[in-house]
């Protein structure tokens, strides 16, 4: 295959994750490295983007077209994967399926990709002939990116992570609904005048806001099903039998799969996943139980120096207010790690707060880096 460019079929490039991925691939010059064909579930035959090696969009339901690809890269979502993947395999296609959706993540013969953590494992899987590669859940990837140093050093016994997940994780329409909620709280029901009047009665204002939040006005919440702006929602995804939400369940199973740990070596991870009124970046408050007591300075050094993307934020008010929040990291590949301190719980316990862009390291970046890694290993 020397010097031959791999043929990549890109499905779902218009959605939120797909668009971010497209941008990243453009900035990193990835399209020069591959022959890319753009597929569409609804607009086959229309003009393809400039990076396409074909003039038109190909049909994302056409098996013969998909079978021409060395790699199918999909950000189209789980329904597409369910509809196409096994039939395409049944049709004899042995190419690489690279997916952002969760459908195939926990299948025995799939590999989760997060190369700063598991490059060796990914390479082994490629050599073994594994053909299904999947990006992990956003909070899982962001958590592991934040704790790469201590995880690789084998220091962590368990982690509790309570998340503060942005509206973007629920989709583009939900981001708009959050903004509509914000607008409603300010503008409607005579509140604007009260907000702007420095002498107005705060209890009167609070009462009006409560009418919105308690569903007694037209405050919009069709998509979230509950108020987010001015409130929060401690539930993400569907229920599991053990009382966790699926989002909470994913943390431990996916993290251990990425790390290639078998059941005896599993790191326990659990906590409550919460949707908050941030736009794009997810945050997590961590309680980390170390296997043995470790001085905080060593933990900090291991964490801060793990890789180029960790942005270590000193545990001061100034540094935290300057940087350690979703607004600062949105649109960047940096993972903010701060509020590092000992805890009253005992010498093996460490407190950390971490923030990262859920569309970049949380979704698009591991996929585009897999493409490069696969090319490096096989071409
Ligand atoms: N499940 C995540 C969320 C999206 O709802 O925030 C990122 O995988």
């Amino acid at each position: 295959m020397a010097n031959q460019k791999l043929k990549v079929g890109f499905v779902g490039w218009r959605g939120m994750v797909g668009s971010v991925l497209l941008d990243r691939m453009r900035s990193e010059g990835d399209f020069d490295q591959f022959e890319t064909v753009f597929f569409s579930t609804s607009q086959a035959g229309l003009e393809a983007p400039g990076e396409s090696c074909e003039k038109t969009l190909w049909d994302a339901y056409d098996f013969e077209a998909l079978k021409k690809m060395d790699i199918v890269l999909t950000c189209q979502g789980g329904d597409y994967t369910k509809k196409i993947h096994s039939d395409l395999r049944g049709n004899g296609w042995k190419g690489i399926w690279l997916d952002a959706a969760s459908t195939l993540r926990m299948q025995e013969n799939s590999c989760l990709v997060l190369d700063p953590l598991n490059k060796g494992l990914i390479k082994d899987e490629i050599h073994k002939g594994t053909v299904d590669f999947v990006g992990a859940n956003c909070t899982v990837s962001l958590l592991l990116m934040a704790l790469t140093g201590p995880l690789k050093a084998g220091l962590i016994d368990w982690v509790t992570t309570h998340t503060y997940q942005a509206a973007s994780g629920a989709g583009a329409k939900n981001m708009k609904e959050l903004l509509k909620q914000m607008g409603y709280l300010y503008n409607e029901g005579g509140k604007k005048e009260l907000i702007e009047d420095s002498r107005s009665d705060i209890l009167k204002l609070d009462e009006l806001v409560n009418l919105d939040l308690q569903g007694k006005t037209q405050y919009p919440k069709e998509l979230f099903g509950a108020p987010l702006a001015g409130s929060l929602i401690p539930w993400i995804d569907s229920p599991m039998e053990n009382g966790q939400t699926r989002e909470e369940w994913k943390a431990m199973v996916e993290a251990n799969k990425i790390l290639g740990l078998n059941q005896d070596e599993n790191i326990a991870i659990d906590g409550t996943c919460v949707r908050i009124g941030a736009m794009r970046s997810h945050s997590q408050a961590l309680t980390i139980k170390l296997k043995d007591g470790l001085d905080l300075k060593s933990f900090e050094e291991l964490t801060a120096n793990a890789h180029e993307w960790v942005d270590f934020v000193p545990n001061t008010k100034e540094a935290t207010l300057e940087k350690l929040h979703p607004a600062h990291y949105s649109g960047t590949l940096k993972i903010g790690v701060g509020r590092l301190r000992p805890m009253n719980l005992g010498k093996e316990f460490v407190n950390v707060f971490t923030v990262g862009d859920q569309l970049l390291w949380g979704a698009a970046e591991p996929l585009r880096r897999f493409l490069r890694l696969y090319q490096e290993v096989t071409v």
Side-chain angles (χ1 to χ4, degrees):
M1 280 188 93
N3 297 325
Q4 198 178 318
K5 284 187 182 174
L6 292 166
K7 245 179 149 56
V8 178
F10 198 166
V11 191
W13 44 277
R14 277 209 188 89
M16 212 160 32
V17 174
S19 314
V20 170
L21 179 55
L22 200 64
D23 271 358
R24 283 291 300 139
M25 290 178 71
R26 283 182 179 131
S27 359
E28 295 293 333
D30 292 339
F31 289 109
D32 302 336
Q33 306 297 317
F34 301 96
E35 253 183 60
T36 311
V37 178
F38 288 75
F39 285 77
S40 171
T41 53
S42 56
Q43 299 191 323
L46 297 189
E47 194 182 339
E51 291 79 9
S52 176
C53 66
E54 298 292 332
K55 284 202 170 61
T56 58
L57 300 174
W58 287 15
D59 181 0
Y61 296 113
D62 178 349
F63 285 125
E64 292 313 310
L66 291 165
K67 280 168 70 178
K68 294 195 174 106
M69 302 298 119
D70 298 305
I71 301 175
V72 171
L73 162 55
T74 168
C75 302
Q76 182 69 29
D79 289 344
Y80 178 76
T81 304
K82 279 186 204 127
K83 202 170 162 106
I84 294 294
H85 174 267
S86 66
D87 285 350
L88 188 60
R89 290 283 180 229
N91 254 270
W93 181 67
K94 296 202 166 51
I96 298 295
W97 181 274
L98 177 58
D99 204 332
S102 63
T103 317
L104 304 175
R105 279 187 201 145
M106 293 315 295
Q107 296 214 345
E108 207 180 320
N109 52 4
S110 71
C111 171
L112 298 186
V113 295
L114 187 64
D115 68 275
L117 274 295
N118 70 350
K119 191 172 186 172
L121 186 138
I122 298 170
K123 283 183 164 178
D124 288 349
E125 293 290 333
I126 295 172
H127 290 306
K128 253 171 55 187
T130 294
V131 283
D132 293 332
F133 292 85
V134 192
N137 169 266
C138 47
T139 44
V140 177
S141 296
L142 295 171
L143 171 69
L144 298 193
M145 288 297 287
L147 297 183
T148 304
L151 281 169
K152 280 194 171 166
L155 297 176
I156 294 182
D157 191 3
W158 54 252
V159 181
T160 291
T161 170
H162 297 304
T163 71
Y164 303 78
Q165 293 182 229
S168 65
K173 289 185 182 142
N174 291 62
M175 292 172 84
K176 290 182 185 163
E177 184 168 270
L178 171 62
L179 292 170
K180 285 186 199 163
Q181 292 185 349
M182 290 171 173
Y184 199 96
L185 289 177
Y186 180 75
N187 288 309
E188 305 298 326
K191 296 192 292 298
K192 187 172 174 176
E193 293 68 29
L194 292 173
I195 293 167
E196 297 304 335
D197 177 358
S198 59
R199 289 163 310 169
S200 68
D201 180 359
I202 188 61
L203 292 182
K204 173 72 190 152
L205 188 54
D206 187 46
E207 200 177 298
L208 290 173
V209 168
N210 259 334
L211 291 178
D212 294 338
L213 300 181
Q214 291 173 355
K216 296 181 179 127
T217 64
Q218 298 303 309
Y219 171 96
K221 55 173 200 277
E222 290 69 30
L223 299 174
F224 283 112
L228 187 61
S231 191
L232 57 77
I233 306 171
W235 190 283
I236 297 177
D237 211 333
S238 51
M240 303 290 292
E241 272 183 10
N242 65 359
Q244 285 180 304
T245 65
R246 183 162 289 274
E247 188 79 355
E248 289 153 5
W249 170 79
K250 284 173 181 173
M252 181 165 167
V253 293
E254 292 189 18
N256 283 292
K257 182 163 177 172
I258 290 170
L259 296 170
L261 299 175
N262 62 39
Q263 221 150 23
D264 311 335
E265 308 163 318
N266 258 214
I267 296 171
I269 305 176
D270 203 352
T272 304
C273 288
V274 182
R275 184 79 65 207
I276 55 135
M279 281 298 279
R280 174 158 167 161
S281 290
H282 287 357
S283 309
Q284 304 185 55
L286 314 179
T287 298
I288 301 163
K289 160 81 165 52
L290 299 171
K291 284 186 181 151
D292 301 299
L294 178 75
D295 70 286
L296 223 55
K297 199 70 206 148
S298 312
F299 186 89
E300 176 180 324
E301 277 166 16
L302 265 173
T303 307
N305 300 324
H307 50 66
E308 66 191 275
W309 300 283
V310 170
D311 184 30
F312 188 79
V313 181
N315 185 26
T316 64
K317 181 175 177 182
E318 294 71 27
T320 302
L321 265 57
E322 187 194 336
K323 295 213 275 190
L324 198 60
H325 39 73
H328 185 79
Y329 292 102
S330 291
T332 82
L333 287 163
K334 291 286 182 188
I335 308 289
V337 183
R339 299 305 325 277
L340 174 61
R341 62 173 178 83
M343 299 185 87
N344 289 340
L345 306 174
K347 66 178 175 39
E348 321 89 283
F349 295 90
V350 180
N351 183 78
V352 166
F353 192 86
T354 177
V355 189
D357 188 318
Q358 74 95 7
L359 293 167
L360 286 166
W361 272 116
E365 196 62 11
L367 299 181
R368 67 156 289 278
R369 290 174 62 88
F370 172 81
L371 287 178
R372 287 296 188 116
L373 183 58
Y374 185 77
Q375 180 197 46
E376 185 188 302
V377 171
T378 59
V379 177

